[in-house]
Amino acid sequence: MIPATVPTEAIFERGHLPDESRPVHAWGDEGEPLVLWRNELRRAQNIEGFKEVRERRQIVSVVPGGGWMTEWQEPGEGTLFADPVVAWVVYSDGEARAIDTDSSGEATLLSPSSSNRRIYHPDQIPDTPLPDKKTSDAATEDE
């Protein structure tokens, strides 16, 4: 058995549920990934739904929000809501994701693919509508 020195994860398909990942704790003598399963190390490929092994990205830093904002609109409502980004999580692969908080202070890591939310800095990006939202008639007349 060879200890896993590079953070790696085994991915398992779970049907209609999101894929599950488990850290690779070691490598077998033949190079197979070993994961903790029901309190014992087992070969990942012998567990139902095994899909792949990939490098597990790590959080390398958390930095202040720096004045960035997040804006969204609840489905079916016309009101826009905005909150400051309280911090950014930076991963080992270079991706940075915003953290927002709700009124009770619970932190939420924002998804980069959210279509009903935008993240912007008031000093750097002109005011633009949310994706898939129509601009006002006044804005289209100026074009």
Side-chain angles (χ1 to χ4, degrees):
M1 184 170 29
I2 304 163
T5 56
V6 174
T8 311
E9 62 187 349
I11 308 300
F12 300 91
E13 290 182 318
R14 296 292 175 222
H16 64 281
L17 298 173
D19 288 350
E20 178 182 346
S21 77
R22 292 185 171 258
V24 173
H25 290 279
W27 300 92
D29 293 334
E30 301 296 320
E32 65 274 358
L34 302 175
V35 298
L36 189 61
W37 185 264
R38 297 187 180 144
N39 296 324
E40 67 179 4
L41 280 179
R42 293 190 49 199
R43 289 185 175 100
Q45 59 263 38
N46 292 347
I47 299 171
E48 184 180 345
F50 175 70
K51 181 177 171 182
E52 65 181 336
V53 174
R54 64 181 176 209
E55 187 173 339
R56 182 179 211 142
R57 65 186 194 162
Q58 301 292 302
I59 294 174
V60 294
S61 184
V62 177
V63 296
W68 286 78
M69 298 290 293
T70 178
E71 182 179 82
W72 73 98
Q73 186 173 14
E74 291 294 328
E77 293 184 24
T79 307
L80 286 176
F81 299 94
D83 279 335
V85 170
V86 295
W88 293 91
V89 172
V90 182
Y91 291 95
S92 55
D93 63 1
E95 181 185 4
R97 290 182 56 190
I99 297 177
D100 186 16
T101 59
D102 62 15
S103 59
S104 65
E106 186 173 331
T108 303
L109 190 60
L110 300 180
S111 170
S113 62
S114 179
S115 63
N116 66 337
R117 183 181 291 264
R118 73 179 180 122
I119 298 171
Y120 65 98
H121 195 284
D123 295 339
Q124 296 177 357
I125 299 174
D127 187 28
T128 55
L130 289 169
D132 300 328
K133 302 296 180 215
K134 294 181 180 179
T135 57
S136 68
D137 292 329
T140 55
E141 289 175 7
D142 292 340
E143 293 176 353

